[in-house]
Amino acid sequence: MNRTKQYMSKFNKNAAPFTAAEYERAKLGITDYLAANFSAKDEQEMTQLIQALGYGEGDSLIIGREATASASFAALYNGLQTHLLDMDDVHSEVRGHPSAVILSALFALAEPTTSGCLFLESYIYGIELMAQLGKLVNPTHYEQGWHNTSTLGGMAATGSLAKLLQLSLDEQCQAMSIAATQAAGLRMSFGTPIKPMHAGFAARNAVDSILLVKAGFPAQTDFLFHPQGFLATLAPNVELASVSDREAPQTWAISEPGLWMKRYPFCSAAMGIADAAEQLYKELQDKQVQDVALIFDHGRDAALIHHRPETGEQGRFSGEYVAWLGLMGRSYEAEAFSKKSLTPDVKQGLTCVTRRYRKAATGQGTELSVTLKNGQVLTACVTHPKGSPQNPLTKEEVLVKLAKSNPTINTEDYQKIMKRFTETSMTELLAWIHKGV
Amino acid sequence: MNRTKQYMSKFNKNAAPFTAAEYERAKLGITDYLAANFSAKDEQEMTQLIQALGYGEGDSLIIGREATASASFAALYNGLQTHLLDMDDVHSEVRGHPSAVILSALFALAEPTTSGCLFLESYIYGIELMAQLGKLVNPTHYEQGWHNTSTLGGMAATGSLAKLLQLSLDEQCQAMSIAATQAAGLRMSFGTPIKPMHAGFAARNAVDSILLVKAGFPAQTDFLFHPQGFLATLAPNVELASVSDREAPQTWAISEPGLWMKRYPFCSAAMGIADAAEQLYKELQDKQVQDVALIFDHGRDAALIHHRPETGEQGRFSGEYVAWLGLMGRSYEAEAFSKKSLTPDVKQGLTCVTRRYRKAATGQGTELSVTLKNGQVLTACVTHPKGSPQNPLTKEEVLVKLAKSNPTINTEDYQKIMKRFTETSMTELLAWIHKGV
């Protein structure tokens, strides 16, 4: 047995049992996923994607449209749609977006007769796998330019599908290997619709990888540790010596530390900045701002690649823009993050915001330091923003997010279905999603 | 204009004119491509691929079957089929297989009315682009574990399609950026059918990237030089300072140094080994071999990842196996490179073959040094194996390869079509390929 198979075998065998607590987290994750997905269903990119590539033939669900497609296309479509407005969840160990990839892949291959329990377990397992891969390769993999959502997401979603379809260890490793050899996604794409497309590409690659193995394609199973494998090539700084000796976790990453869920459509790295800016706005009243400093732990602003965004879309990945919106009392709704060019006065406003880095890591959030024209300095630092695991969205808040994402849906029906979900199959949920368009 | 756009603009503007010599090279390249493709049309992987993913809807050519498919699937299918037996061409500056990717993408989007000249020019241009990208990133990119056929092939084929469809510079850079952010392919897959699949994935990504841009998806145009772009992330050792100041070449890479074309279905890095072994076989007669040393310039055996292959398929990437076959007077036909396990006596034979490295690079081929049981030492070293640009297959030899690849085809018809190709559209060639199944 090669090293990757040993690693995966240990991972599979030593995993903690699934408890009611994880099932609840997973149901909340699905709810938040659907809210993020529905929010984007009328965006032009979704029509453009169909125009570009066609549906393909098949019974898989295209969420938000009364249409079905090939499993590959459905995964691509749902991955893009869920991540399009950056309203979908994030995991700190992944340093990326797990559910957009994993659930898009799972929905593509789920059947009405699939057991609800198995679906939830496969999802929980996929998040775990992605978090473990994240712990292996972070922070250097991300900092080198990779978008973990797709590089790790493809492998994790494939592992998750292997669980759903109850493949053998050997088949699981082969399928994950095909995903590993397609692992891609560059952070240069942040601020363009190609960034959310990464979630779609990864979900599609996961589906394709499983289908290829099921059709008889063999692959190199040592996909992590092979001298020309994933780690050597995409994470060459990882110290491999002790990796395969790690123990499988005794708590699931979906619970501990848990998912971040968003209230607003911008990068999670700016969530604390937004909360801090909202606090300071109340203190500012009508005082004049001289300048604003964003003070980060080193490397914690890597996702915020736009210092001087040209459009609202780029502003999703700009700490400066998010801070400025909050300090000016502007709304964080979708309109502020559209493709439109920012107006000259906004761009002018952004010139007074700069970044600084703390000498030593503190583990705290980004500090906002606002110097007023009268010389006064106001500061705020939110380490646990609303939506982070330590300050989570409640179930009720996630249901409000869902209701807001799609005014035609009935959240009461949905709650009834999700309550029964672990006792039965996917039938009702899939039918509801179709009706819920 | 960002640095990548400047680079691409200079590349487009300063390129040499296309001459009759390049048209002839390109026609020979197409002929060799079809021979490689037809050779694999009855392999089980081709049926498995359809079984896994379905044709998709569309008019694009599935070579070797009387069927059409979506452009994306056709590119994937033809890419896999062409590279499946490793009979397709190689380029030394690419350090990989250009035509399997570029022509599979071009055939997927070519129409019967497409001008034959434009098709050839797009192909020549694509090879050039892939060679230039190779010169940028080699050797460290390849040595790190990347399979250049797919990582560089996706971008090059996208650039080639942009020329075929006469896109603007901006659209070309956007499309190449979508290919760059999907650039993947790990050398761990050598010796499995996932290696040839890389050519298919890259061709499909090229087609998808073009279709996405045509449907209105914008992308980051600075795909090469962006701090989180292709070079920083997949080729971090490249010295960027002087890159964009390079001049576009005054000769085309399809002519100078030119394509390697194969006689046998194994990795081009073993072509010289095979020729040397065939030479030595004649001298050996019935003398007993004690041991065999393969003596390489450092790094020149990177593609030959299997030292002790278990199957013929792995043996495609084993210098030891290719040397042993030749020295034993065995045939290099497909049967020797099948999925079957090697027999114990072959495995035993391989144990006497070892690798050594020269202290300093010589630029020569791999030397075979055979020590006989009687103490005698025989050596041979072929720097320019048959099929290399300095010792090329003739047009007649390539036509023999084509005829051998598919006994039902009429090479006389084909020659007539190719003779007229530059004067007219793709109609006849596409019709012939369909008939030629």
Side-chain angles (χ1 to χ4, degrees), chain B residues 354-424:
Chain B
T354 53
R355 298 191 194 190
R356 294 212 305 267
Y357 300 91
R358 297 186 184 113
K359 278 184 190 144
T362 64
Q364 291 176 357
T366 306
E367 183 180 325
L368 258 66
S369 174
V370 178
T371 306
L372 302 178
K373 289 210 167 135
N374 67 11
Q376 199 186 347
V377 177
L378 305 174
T379 65
C381 178
V382 175
T383 304
H384 301 303
K386 183 65 184 169
S388 67
Q390 298 84 350
N391 185 10
L393 297 193
T394 62
K395 187 175 165 189
E396 290 63 39
E397 285 168 327
V398 176
L399 284 165
V400 168
K401 181 175 167 184
L402 179 69
K404 206 171 134 191
S405 71
N406 189 344
T408 71
I409 64 178
N410 182 334
T411 45
E412 269 178 46
D413 280 359
Y414 178 74
Q415 274 187 284
K416 277 185 211 152
I417 293 165
M418 289 308 270
K419 211 166 178 180
R420 290 178 8 89
F421 191 61
T422 40
E423 297 147 28
T424 176

Side-chain angles (χ1 to χ4, degrees), chain B residues 119-134:
Chain B
F119 188 90
L120 294 178
E121 289 170 6
S122 303
Y123 172 39
I124 298 162
Y125 176 88
I127 301 264
E128 183 63 40
L129 204 43
M130 197 160 166
Q132 290 292 324
L133 290 170

Side-chain angles (χ1 to χ4, degrees), chain B residues 313-380:
Chain B
E313 197 172 39
Q314 291 181 352
R316 289 186 208 282
F317 304 95
S318 171
E320 290 82 355
Y321 182 62
V322 169
W324 184 89
L325 285 177
L327 292 169
M328 296 299 119
R330 303 273 185 106
S331 147
Y332 286 124
E333 295 303 312
E335 180 60 22
F337 300 97
S338 77
K339 288 172 186 61
K340 280 188 217 145
S341 288
L342 301 182
T343 55
D345 65 306
V346 174
K347 286 191 190 173
Q348 178 58 36
L350 290 178
T351 60
C352 74
V353 192
T354 53
R355 298 191 194 190
R356 294 212 305 267
Y357 300 91
R358 297 186 184 113
K359 278 184 190 144
T362 64
Q364 291 176 357
T366 306
E367 183 180 325
L368 258 66
S369 174
V370 178
T371 306
L372 302 178
K373 289 210 167 135
N374 67 11
Q376 199 186 347
V377 177
L378 305 174
T379 65

